[in-house]
Amino acid sequence: KVTAKEKEKKLAGSVAAQEKKLGDVANTLKDARKAVADIGSERKTIAGAIASNLKASGVEVDVNPETGNITLKMDESFYFKNASFELRDEAKEKISKIIPVYARSLLGTPKIAERIERILVTGFASPKFNKTYVDPAMAIGEPYEYNLDLSVNRAKEIVAYMFGTQISSYPYKERMRGMVSVSGMGLMGSIQLDKNSICHKDSEALTRYEECTCGPYDCKKSRRVEIEFVLKNQKDTERQLQKISDKLNEQGASNVSH
């Protein structure tokens, strides 16, 4: 027969084991948070360099100050026509100015260049099919597949021009070509209408303005291509976060079994 003292000792041992597991999770979480903060700080520094270099070159472009992501949607010249992935002449002219500066910003400084793992060029489509609004969360079948293909083609069109013969050779062109990967998000990632959008103010906006025909999303702004750099230790951080998730799951299973 197990005495009360033995039960108390066993319980104390179990509590100590649980506390150790929680301590391990807390330490892992602390390390992961630091890694995330370090990546964020590093990205912000590089983003500042990209924005500064583009501004000094007289190029107007939308650069996220936190991530350094470039969104090719800054004015009418970069808005893709509905159901089209063809670049306008104005867009080609701006890409010819943006990309050489972007390449120099990422690869022209050895300390930054050694931290860049790859460059992602991602296309997006507006939530429409056959001129009709499609809810991105509910899209399946042909509407989903069509817009996915369209978004990939938009990204491909940008990349083809970035590294084609129409832009004269620029420093780091070939090196950057080997780092680029292309993808498409289709209807996912559509951009919400601004709260001050004319679409909210004009009762006849749906028939007057093309950008107002995508439900709660801005049709024109949603049709875009984004360029993003990926730092080498982002994968390490992802593994750390996965480790935390595994530990938490393990802890949950242990609590259930008890």
Side-chain angles (χ1 to χ4, degrees), residues 38-56 59 61-71 101-102 104-107 109 112-113 115-116 227-231 234:
D38 289 345
I39 287 175
S41 177
E42 190 173 12
R43 288 191 69 87
K44 191 171 183 178
T45 299
I46 297 173
I50 293 171
S52 177
N53 290 339
L54 285 168
K55 184 177 181 179
V59 180
V61 61
D62 183 5
V63 181
N64 186 306
E66 297 293 326
T67 66
N69 290 10
I70 287 181
T71 301
V101 178
Y102 186 73
R104 173 166 55 84
S105 300
L106 289 183
L107 305 176
T109 303
I112 294 177
R115 297 290 300 117
I116 306 299
I227 303 176
E228 172 189 3
F229 64 85
V230 178
L231 296 174
Q234 283 185 217

Side-chain angles (χ1 to χ4, degrees), residues 91-101 161 166-167 170:
K92 292 178 180 178
E93 183 180 350
K94 284 199 170 182
I95 292 174
S96 298
K97 296 177 181 178
I98 293 169
I99 297 305
V101 178
Y161 191 78
Q166 289 175 287
I167 300 182
Y170 53 88

Side-chain angles (χ1 to χ4, degrees), residues 5-208:
K5 187 173 182 179
E6 289 174 330
K7 287 182 178 180
E8 183 179 331
K9 184 178 180 180
K10 184 178 180 180
L11 179 60
S14 177
V15 170
Q18 293 296 326
E19 288 178 341
K20 184 179 185 305
K21 287 183 179 180
L22 289 173
D24 290 342
V25 172
N27 288 333
T28 305
L29 180 59
K30 181 179 179 181
D31 291 342
R33 282 176 174 167
K34 183 179 184 305
V36 169
D38 289 345
I39 287 175
S41 177
E42 190 173 12
R43 288 191 69 87
K44 191 171 183 178
T45 299
I46 297 173
I50 293 171
S52 177
N53 290 339
L54 285 168
K55 184 177 181 179
S57 300
V59 180
E60 293 294 329
V61 61
D62 183 5
V63 181
N64 186 306
E66 297 293 326
T67 66
N69 290 10
I70 287 181
T71 301
L72 302 183
K73 66 172 186 60
M74 51 283 200
D75 59 30
E76 288 295 329
S77 69
F78 265 112
Y79 290 135
F80 290 92
K81 293 180 181 179
N82 187 36
S84 171
F85 56 86
E86 181 180 354
L87 284 174
R88 305 175 188 223
D89 290 339
E90 299 97 319
K92 292 178 180 178
E93 183 180 350
K94 284 199 170 182
I95 292 174
S96 298
K97 296 177 181 178
I98 293 169
I99 297 305
V101 178
Y102 186 73
R104 173 166 55 84
S105 300
L106 289 183
L107 305 176
T109 303
K111 187 175 180 180
I112 294 177
E114 68 183 13
R115 297 290 300 117
I116 306 299
E117 181 173 67
R118 63 184 184 277
I119 297 167
L120 308 179
V121 181
T122 308
F124 297 81
S126 58
K128 292 178 76 173
F129 181 68
N130 287 339
K131 299 182 180 181
T132 303
Y133 167 63
V134 176
D135 184 347
M138 304 296 290
I140 58 174
E142 191 175 0
Y144 177 84
E145 293 169 6
Y146 173 83
N147 280 288
L148 182 61
D149 290 341
L150 180 61
S151 64
V152 171
N153 285 333
R154 284 175 174 162
K156 285 182 177 179
E157 186 76 358
I158 293 288
V159 170
Y161 191 78
M162 284 169 58
F163 302 113
T165 57
Q166 289 175 287
I167 300 182
S168 59
S169 182
Y170 53 88
Y172 314 108
K173 183 176 182 178
E174 293 306 315
R175 182 176 177 184
M176 188 164 74
R177 184 204 300 267
M179 302 172 74
V180 166
S181 61
V182 173
S183 66
M185 291 294 291
L187 302 170
M188 303 301 109
S190 295
I191 294 176
Q192 293 273 349
L193 284 167
D194 187 272
K195 64 179 180 180
N196 296 317
S197 170
I198 188 65
C199 303
H200 298 309
K201 300 176 181 179
D202 189 335
S203 60
E204 298 182 8
L206 188 63
T207 57
R208 289 183 176 181

